[in-house]
Amino acid sequence: MSNTRSAIRTVAATALALSAVWSPLSVQADHQVDRDLRRVWNARPRVVSSSVQLNPSGYAPLAAVVQVTTDLPTRVRLTLLDERRRWTVESGDAYQTSHNIVVLGLKPDTHHSIDVRVESADGRYRHGNRLAVTTDRLPADFPPISVDSDPRRVARGFTFFAVAKWPGARDPLYGLVVAVDVTGEIVWYYKTDLHAADDVRRLRNGNIMITDLGNLAGQAVEIDMLGNIVQSWRPRLRPSNLPNSTFVDIDTLHHDMVELPNGHFLTLSSELRLVNDFPTLDPGRPTETANVVGDVVVEFRRDGSIVNEWKMFDMLDLHRIGYQSVLGFWNAAYGNPTGGTRAWTWGNAVSYVAEDDSILISLRHQNAVMKFSRASGAIKWIFGDHSGWGPTFQQYLLTPATGATWPYGQHGAKITRRGTLLLHDNGNFRAMPPDAPTPAAENFSRGVEYRIDEGRMKVDQVWEFGGNQYYAMFVGDADLLQRNNVLVTFGGQAKVNGVPVDGAGHLSAQILEIDRRRKRSDIVMEIRVSDPATSYSVYRSQKMSSLYR
């Protein structure tokens, strides 16, 4: 009761104090404050218009652009929600009245709501009308892609890969690039009938570079994440149907194209020479006159002008061949010359080693990886089976430590941030002529990592993962990720009645992310591209930290 009386006395005293200062003047002042507050409130930025356009290019169905116009200069923050996720996208640092904001990460066959928040430079903000966008289902001809994933152990980012379709021979105009998140959900894809797609990598400007081997003469295509072609590059032997095509005065542009720190590009090309005494695999006819194709490493500028070339004909032993060096893979690109062509070296990867300004090239048909100086062209080392190298080349051969085994028909060779050599060992034949080749049914493919001591010219094998169940006769990749996970692409698994073959067979692909922090390497993500009715392959896969840059 005493507490109640005390509260009443306090309220009464407060009322008397207020009545002592209450006057018409104070009421007028309060009205002015109210008007000032209302003016400040009304001075907040206002959304004049907002809209969302899904797939504006027609080639990236899970990408959209949100257009926002405001009466005052603002920045925009979009909050997107679907049935399980919530994420934000911002317009950037500039304050302006017109915004076109790229939205990535939408899922197929899903309704997404978009909250629009605009903010002026003084911190005032307002929400606009909520937008919505519903994506379509994946198209009926989309390849079957299944994924098993442990998101807690998968390296952060998005796994990008391109899919090739083989309705008999390869479809040269089937272009599909897919990105999945750590859960295995498809969150972006690029689908085109203008070109094929093989290697996919991020440029420093945030765009995507795609190499197209649908026609072996090759070309490279730069797209933005909305699916617009920004620029493309074509060689002499490849007519182009693409917009913004830049001519590069080289025969072919194949397999790989990487951006150098100086903004130039490094790629693989080729040249044809008539060789009078080229080796054969026929003991009764050891040499022949043949149309031999050798690789050329090319550095060129964005405008297509050539900076430098390094020719394998001038660097390697022309009389050393592997089992696949006599194949006619280049026939169509070079106009089917009489007697066909010989794919002597078949470069399939090139990369830049900034630490010592060197270039690394993978030569599949030589079962070799070579490192040479960018400045002088001098060979630094040759990694691979020692068979067949002449006396001149013995000084460059790396010597394997006990337990190290050579790769054969390798893909995706690169120097990692740890300074090791990582590659995909397809394993084709596991021998150099004239040694007996290993049959595909008994063979295996693997991702494998080596440590190279250039001072001692020694090589140790430090890790591998693979087996007969993964045997892939062609294409593939291996990349070192965060957490020291490794992404291994077994991209061209050919089988007949379930048995691996080297040659024509039904094609499928597996992409595995391996956690190797424990004694036993564990698969933490498996992506399968497989259809019993249609053959598909995957050239490489790449982990990118963001969909944006």
Side-chain angles (χ1 to χ4, degrees):
M1 181 65 72
S2 61
N3 289 339
T4 302
R5 290 195 185 101
S6 177
I8 292 172
R9 283 196 297 269
T10 301
V11 172
T14 302
L16 286 171
L18 287 174
S19 67
V21 299
W22 199 264
S23 69
L25 184 61
S26 65
V27 171
Q28 183 178 359
D30 285 346
H31 286 172
Q32 182 61 44
V33 170
D34 187 57
R35 284 193 296 271
D36 290 343
L37 289 173
R38 190 177 296 112
R39 187 161 48 250
V40 171
W41 181 259
N42 290 335
R44 292 180 306 151
R46 183 173 59 87
V47 176
V48 176
S49 65
S50 61
S51 63
V52 57
Q53 183 181 6
L54 184 65
N55 191 17
S57 73
Y59 298 109
L62 300 182
V65 173
V66 172
Q67 299 171 320
V68 179
T69 303
T70 55
D71 61 341
L72 300 174
T74 60
R75 294 189 303 192
V76 179
R77 185 177 68 192
L78 307 176
T79 301
L80 293 98
L81 299 97
D82 61 24
E83 70 275 8
R84 288 189 297 172
R85 300 178 302 155
R86 175 190 179 99
W87 75 104
T88 60
V89 180
E90 297 186 351
S91 60
D93 294 332
Y95 290 90
Q96 52 198 47
T97 58
S98 181
H99 303 269
N100 290 286
I101 306 163
V102 175
V103 173
L104 306 173
L106 305 177
K107 292 183 179 180
D109 193 23
T110 301
H111 178 80
H112 306 79
S113 65
I114 307 172
D115 176 72
V116 180
R117 183 185 187 272
V118 299
E119 181 177 331
S120 57
D122 58 7
R124 299 171 186 172
Y125 67 91
R126 192 193 297 262
H127 289 270
N129 294 329
R130 178 159 290 195
L131 303 174
V133 61
T134 301
T135 53
D136 291 333
R137 295 179 178 179
L138 296 174
D141 64 346
F142 205 83
I145 297 174
S146 58
V147 183
D148 292 322
S149 172
D150 181 352
R152 298 167 302 172
R153 299 174 63 191
V154 172
R156 289 176 298 174
F158 301 85
T159 304
F160 281 70
F161 55 95
V163 180
K165 187 177 183 179
W166 300 77
R170 181 177 180 178
D171 184 341
L173 295 178
Y174 179 87
L176 176 65
V177 180
V178 179
V180 301
D181 64 14
V182 296
T183 70
E185 295 271 7
I186 294 173
V187 292
W188 183 88
Y189 70 93
Y190 169 75
K191 178 73 169 65
T192 181
D193 57 2
L194 297 176
H195 61 86
D198 291 278
D199 187 36
V200 181
R201 63 182 67 224
R202 178 83 70 186
L203 299 176
R204 286 197 298 274
N205 63 11
N207 290 340
I208 296 293
M209 180 70 78
I210 301 170
T211 56
D212 165 14
L213 295 175
N215 172 325
L216 273 179
Q219 64 181 337
V221 185
E222 178 186 359
I223 65 168
D224 62 25
M225 291 301 290
L226 292 173
N228 299 298
I229 293 178
V230 177
Q231 190 173 354
S232 61
W233 293 265
R234 66 177 181 86
R236 281 192 294 267
L237 300 180
R238 177 69 181 261
S240 180
N241 62 332
L242 300 179
N244 305 318
S245 181
T246 300
F247 175 68
V248 186
D249 193 14
I250 52 180
D251 278 8
T252 61
L253 192 162
H254 67 88
H255 281 89
D256 221 346
M257 184 159 155
V258 298
E259 188 176 23
L260 296 175
N262 62 7
H264 297 170
F265 293 110
L266 201 63
T267 193
L268 291 170
S269 185
S270 59
E271 61 174 326
L272 178 69
R273 295 187 186 182
L274 186 66
V275 178
N276 292 325
D277 57 347
F278 189 70
T280 76
L281 297 177
D282 182 357
R285 186 172 58 97
T287 65
E288 64 177 349
T289 298
N291 300 299
V292 180
V293 178
D295 285 285
V296 182
V297 177
V298 181
E299 180 181 342
F300 69 93
R301 301 179 184 89
R302 182 172 272 273
D303 65 4
S305 58
I306 294 173
V307 177
N308 207 346
E309 295 180 319
W310 299 268
K311 300 180 178 183
M312 296 303 105
F313 277 119
D314 300 335
M315 298 174 71
L316 297 179
D317 183 351
L318 181 57
H319 298 96
R320 182 184 191 266
I321 64 169
Y323 276 107
Q324 299 184 88
S325 296
V326 299
L327 300 178
F329 290 152
W330 288 110
N331 289 353
Y334 279 97
N336 294 301
T338 301
T341 61
R342 305 293 181 268
W344 170 49
T345 49
W346 197 257
N348 59 18
V350 65
S351 58
Y352 177 65
V353 185
E355 287 72 17
D356 59 358
D357 191 31
S358 295
I359 293 172
L360 194 77
I361 181 171
S362 167
L363 301 163
R364 171 172 161 85
H365 290 182
Q366 291 289 310
N367 301 312
V369 177
M370 180 174 69
K371 184 182 180 184
F372 64 91
S373 168
R374 176 170 167 265
S376 67
I379 297 173
K380 296 194 172 186
W381 49 254
I382 296 172
F383 168 92
D385 193 318
H386 289 194
S387 302
W389 292 107
T392 303
F393 296 91
Q394 295 300 311
Q395 61 183 314
Y396 304 121
L397 301 181
L398 294 171
T399 301
T402 302
T405 55
W406 297 125
Y408 292 86
Q410 74 286 330
H411 280 81
K414 58 187 67 69
I415 301 297
T416 72
R417 64 177 182 271
R418 293 154 40 118
T420 56
L421 174 66
L422 181 64
L423 55 83
H424 180 270
D425 173 16
N426 293 76
N428 302 78
F429 308 117
R430 297 219 171 266
M432 289 289 293
D435 294 342
T438 300
E442 302 171 15
N443 211 335
F444 63 93
S445 296
R446 58 180 177 158
V448 57
E449 184 179 21
Y450 301 90
R451 182 181 297 110
I452 294 173
D453 184 336
E454 294 190 358
R456 298 171 56 236
M457 293 294 284
K458 301 285 187 180
V459 57
D460 290 295
Q461 183 175 310
V462 297
W463 176 83
E464 67 175 348
F465 180 92
N468 176 258
Q469 69 270 37
Y470 301 117
Y471 182 67
M473 69 166 184
F474 77 120
V475 301
D477 196 15
D479 294 321
L480 182 64
L481 309 179
Q482 293 175 340
R483 305 170 63 171
N484 285 326
N485 285 7
V486 180
L487 190 66
V488 184
T489 306
F490 300 94
Q493 298 173 327
K495 295 182 179 180
V496 174
N497 297 323
V499 178
V501 296
D502 284 315
H506 187 79
L507 295 174
S508 62
Q510 283 178 286
I511 302 170
L512 304 180
E513 183 170 331
I514 312 299
D515 180 348
R516 59 178 188 174
R517 291 176 298 170
R518 303 172 183 175
K519 288 185 177 180
R520 172 186 164 187
S521 295
D522 294 328
I523 299 171
V524 296
M525 175 181 275
E526 179 179 3
I527 303 170
R528 295 172 297 277
V529 185
S530 180
D531 183 349
T534 305
S535 284
Y536 293 100
S537 65
V538 173
Y539 178 54
R540 291 177 180 169
S541 60
Q542 305 282 348
K543 180 80 75 162
M544 301 187 191
S545 60
S546 168
L547 292 175
Y548 287 88
R549 293 192 73 82

